[in-house]
Amino acid sequence: MGGAADETTGGAPDGSGPAERFIDAAVGLLERVREEEAGSISAAGALIADAFADGGRVFAFGAGHSSLPAQDVVYRAGGLAVLNLLPVPGAVGVDVVPATLGSSLERVEGLASAVLETSPARAGDVLVVISLSGRNALPVEMATRARELGLRVIGVTSVAYARNTAPRNPSGTFLGDHCDIVVDSKIAVGDAELTAEGVGAPFAPASTVVTCAIMQAVVASAAGALAARGITPPLLRSGNVDGGHEWNAGVMAEHADRIFYLR
């Protein structure tokens, strides 16, 4: 997985233990994203900047652990204030009991449409759909229904799944088939970077690290694109620095019509 060679699981004084190998694998994936996905990331940032400049809003969706990168850019110091989480009840993170319910909900037809149709999202907005495999009904339907409603869709997914696995939704397609822009996370099928003697399964998933970095890169690109057009990016500051709360209150008041996590 990820091209890692088998090693023992013990620590290594030369820095070649599992922890170091995982970090090396994650760095390698990030370098690939930087080299191979720069154009897609820039295009995604430009699409968000276009929507903001035209009065549109921006939403991010992911289910299970793929929700973490979506949450990472919402109400975030140093991030755009106008990024909103589009939650699907029961599928955001692993906070439901049993945790396996979230996985089951990803295969429920009609759920994404119901969420979108009752959400604030409208034509002209942008939706970022995050799904590692991109094969389940929920992310595929989320992307397809969003485009039917007139939204532009950015997909963050692993293209390897579309090449090496079968779809698991009625359309027989993958998330990437229904997006205006696709950013490939480069994560291998199985999402585990290490193997080791005596360990029965590959371990050390890197998808969250890489996908969070992709999302932050997209947001940074959007902020840069807005500034290049002479539009002040609506950025939040840390509430733990002097004046941060006052700054954020001003930004939120100015853009209240595009911020939905305060309502």
Side-chain angles (χ1 to χ4, degrees):
M1 295 294 172
D6 287 353
E7 298 284 351
T8 63
T9 57
D14 61 355
S16 62
E20 294 86 354
R21 291 193 297 119
F22 171 73
I23 292 173
D24 288 345
V27 169
L29 287 164
L30 289 170
E31 288 176 341
R32 284 191 62 199
V33 168
R34 186 182 189 280
E35 294 170 4
E36 300 170 19
E37 298 300 308
S40 296
I41 289 171
S42 178
L47 195 62
I48 290 173
D50 289 343
F52 180 81
D54 292 339
R57 294 82 59 82
V58 186
F59 300 86
F61 162 78
H65 288 95
S66 288
S67 177
L68 298 177
Q71 295 180 60
D72 194 50
V73 294
V74 175
Y75 186 51
R76 185 65 188 261
L80 295 173
V82 295
L83 277 162
N84 301 278
L85 184 69
L86 184 65
V88 174
V92 181
V94 291
D95 59 339
V96 295
V97 179
T100 52
L101 174 61
S103 297
S104 298
L105 290 174
E106 287 192 62
R107 298 191 288 273
V108 174
E109 297 175 47
L111 181 56
S113 294
V115 168
L116 272 170
E117 291 163 10
T118 56
S119 78
R122 66 189 185 193
D125 293 346
V126 169
L127 173 63
V128 184
V129 179
I130 303 166
S131 174
L132 177 60
S133 72
R135 68 196 295 234
N136 290 312
L138 188 55
V140 171
E141 183 183 322
M142 188 69 74
T144 56
R145 186 61 182 141
R147 294 181 89 185
E148 290 170 356
L149 293 172
L151 282 76
R152 305 294 297 277
V153 178
I154 298 165
V156 182
T157 187
S158 169
V159 173
Y161 278 84
R163 294 173 178 163
N164 299 292
T165 69
R168 198 157 56 188
N169 64 86
S171 73
T173 60
F174 284 85
L175 169 61
D177 297 321
H178 306 283
C179 299
D180 296 282
I181 297 167
V182 175
V183 182
D184 181 7
S185 64
K186 312 298 180 184
I187 301 295
V189 174
D191 190 19
E193 293 301 313
L194 303 182
T195 57
E197 184 179 349
V199 179
F203 60 104
S207 60
T208 303
V209 173
V210 174
T211 308
C212 281
I214 288 172
M215 289 298 292
Q216 293 296 344
V218 168
V219 172
S221 183
L226 287 170
R229 303 178 196 189
I231 301 172
T232 301
L235 296 169
L236 296 172
R237 291 185 174 180
S238 171
N240 294 313
V241 299
D242 292 341
H245 288 298
E246 293 76 12
W247 171 278
N248 292 343
V251 171
M252 291 177 180
E254 182 179 357
H255 302 285
D257 60 328
R258 296 193 253 191
I259 297 174
F260 301 98
Y261 50 81
L262 297 177
R263 306 176 188 178

